[in-house]
């Protein structure tokens, strides 16, 4: 995983394993994944670029966890089995879920323009719809492309409006609705929509609508807090020829696009509830899992057909030091939650494709 600046991408699978998280239909092969094969895949990751890895898998009514590598370079302590980590862009699935809940309550329409709710925020807000934001077809410039990832950027506070202003200083990538390009700016605007529609902060809305009802006790929205609470593995990134510990950072730079800290257990609970219909009405869940024609991104989820023909929905997340993968079949019966803490990428990370194939293809 490269981190040229701060990125909360949904396409990390493509760069890591030749996949591109694009649908989901069938469950994993009968018999489920082999635990030893999972461990071998994790061990391969931690010998080819990851400092540590932890995974939680639910398949065929069974759940298990596995881990490999160390929690901190230079220490023999292993990765905590249920350690907390920065989920980065998987945050977008939470944000999209809240907006879709509001749509289900009749408080907005997906094809309303941004200007209807937030007049003056975007120069082209009268042409960009809520749906375009959630499916990355707005054309808005990705503000994180202007970030360098230097220590000052990683530690300072960022206002959402500043991030939007950074993006709107650039022209649109394309006319709204005519193409698709991943942009963190879309979800910063989505977070501002949540605040306008609920009259509460984005963090409060996520807590009251998702975190508290599901009992996600190890999931937090840290705001300006730079540390990760509770047990966790450290993340590293190469800088000037050395590995730098980047565990502590101010996640306000990601906000509604990439701020959340969680665990594999909490993410699995969230995923099971989402695909089990406990968070969204059927109409909104159908919207979430319906990508635009020719695109791989729905509304807060991306989709991929694996080599064995099984389709999976999910999201990836990358922030300096951490990579997250959430993947699930459309029926919700087979689920994968993976966290990697990154170190050096002198050799291509291996084991990632093997892990995904073992879980979903058997």
């Amino acid at each position: 995983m490269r981190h040229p600046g701060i990125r909360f991408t949904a396409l990390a699978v493509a760069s890591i394993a030749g996949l591109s998280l694009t649908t989901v239909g069938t469950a994993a092969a009968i018999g489920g994944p082999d635990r030893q094969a999972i461990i071998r895949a994790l061990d391969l990751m931690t010998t080819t670029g990851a400092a540590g890895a932890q995974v939680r898998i639910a398949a065929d009514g069974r759940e298990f966890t596995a881990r490999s590598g160390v929690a901190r370079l230079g220490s023999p302590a292993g990765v905590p089995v249920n350690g907390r980590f920065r989920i980065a862009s998987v945050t977008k699935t939470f944000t999209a879920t809240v907006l879709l809940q509001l749509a289900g309550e009749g408080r907005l329409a997906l094809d309303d323009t941004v200007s209807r709710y937030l007049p003056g925020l975007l120069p082209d807000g009268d042409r960009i719809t809520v749906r375009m934001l959630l499916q990355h077809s707005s054309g808005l410039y990705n503000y994180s492309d202007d970030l360098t990832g230097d220590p000052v950027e990683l530690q300072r506070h960022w206002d959402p409006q500043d991030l939007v202003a950074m993006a709107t200083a650039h022209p649109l990538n394309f006319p709204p609705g005519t193409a698709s390009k991943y942009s963190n700016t879309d979800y910063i605007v989505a977070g501002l929509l949540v605040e306008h529609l609920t009259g509460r902060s984005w963090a409060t809305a996520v807590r009251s609508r998702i975190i508290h009802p599901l009992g996600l006790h190890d999931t937090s929205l840290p705001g300006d807090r730079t540390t990760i609470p509770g047990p966790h593995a450290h993340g590293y990134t190469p800088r000037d020829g050395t590995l730098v510990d980047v565990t502590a950072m101010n996640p306000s730079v990601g906000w509604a696009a990439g701020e959340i800290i969680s665990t594999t257990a909490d993410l699995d609970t969230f995923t099971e509830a989402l695909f089990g219909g406990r968070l969204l009405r059927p109409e909104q869940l159908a919207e979430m899992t319906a990508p635009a024609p020719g695109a791989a991104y729905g509304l807060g989820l991306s989709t991929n057909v694996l080599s064995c023909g099984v389709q999976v929905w999910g999201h990836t997340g990358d922030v300096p030091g951490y990579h997250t993968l959430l993947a699930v079949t459309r029926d919700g019966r087979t689920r994968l939650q993976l966290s990697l803490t990154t170190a050096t990428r002198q050799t291509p990370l291996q084991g990632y494709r093997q892990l995904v194939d073992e879980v979903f293809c058997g």
Side-chain angles (χ1 to χ4, degrees), residues 243-255:
L243 285 176
V244 178
D245 189 326
V246 289
T247 306
M249 65 168 286
N250 189 320
S252 64
V253 70
W255 197 55

Side-chain angles (χ1 to χ4, degrees), residues 79-156:
V79 176
V81 173
N82 197 29
R84 295 162 175 81
F85 50 89
R86 301 189 187 281
I87 71 171
S89 271
V90 177
T91 299
K92 291 181 175 67
T93 308
F94 285 73
T95 300
T97 298
V98 172
L99 268 183
L100 285 166
Q101 287 176 342
L102 294 168
E105 296 163 10
R107 299 171 71 174
L108 85 157
L110 293 175
D111 294 313
D112 284 344
T113 65
V114 173
S115 288
R116 174 172 179 177
Y117 304 104
L118 300 172
L121 178 68
L122 303 176
D124 298 281
D126 58 346
R127 297 195 293 152
I128 296 172
T129 67
V130 178
R131 185 188 303 277
M132 290 174 190
L133 295 175
L134 296 183
Q135 68 183 192
H136 294 300
S137 62
S138 70
L140 287 169
Y141 180 83
N142 186 2
Y143 73 86
S144 59
D145 286 345
D146 280 0
L147 301 176
T148 65
D150 67 43
V152 174
E153 286 183 346
L154 289 175
Q155 299 301 323
R156 62 160 284 190

Side-chain angles (χ1 to χ4, degrees), residues 1 9 18 46 75 121 164 181 187 213 240 267 311 332 344 347 350:
M1 269 160 287
T9 74
T46 56
S75 170
L121 178 68
V164 172
K181 186 175 182 180
Y187 277 76
D240 299 327
L267 286 182
Q311 295 180 304
T344 178
T347 58
Q350 300 175 36

Side-chain angles (χ1 to χ4, degrees), residues 1 38 44 47 73 94 125 151 171 190 220 223-224 238 268 280 286 305 309 320 361:
M1 269 160 287
I38 298 298
L44 192 52
T47 56
L73 294 179
F94 285 73
S220 59
D224 285 325
D268 187 63
L280 294 177
V305 180
C361 298

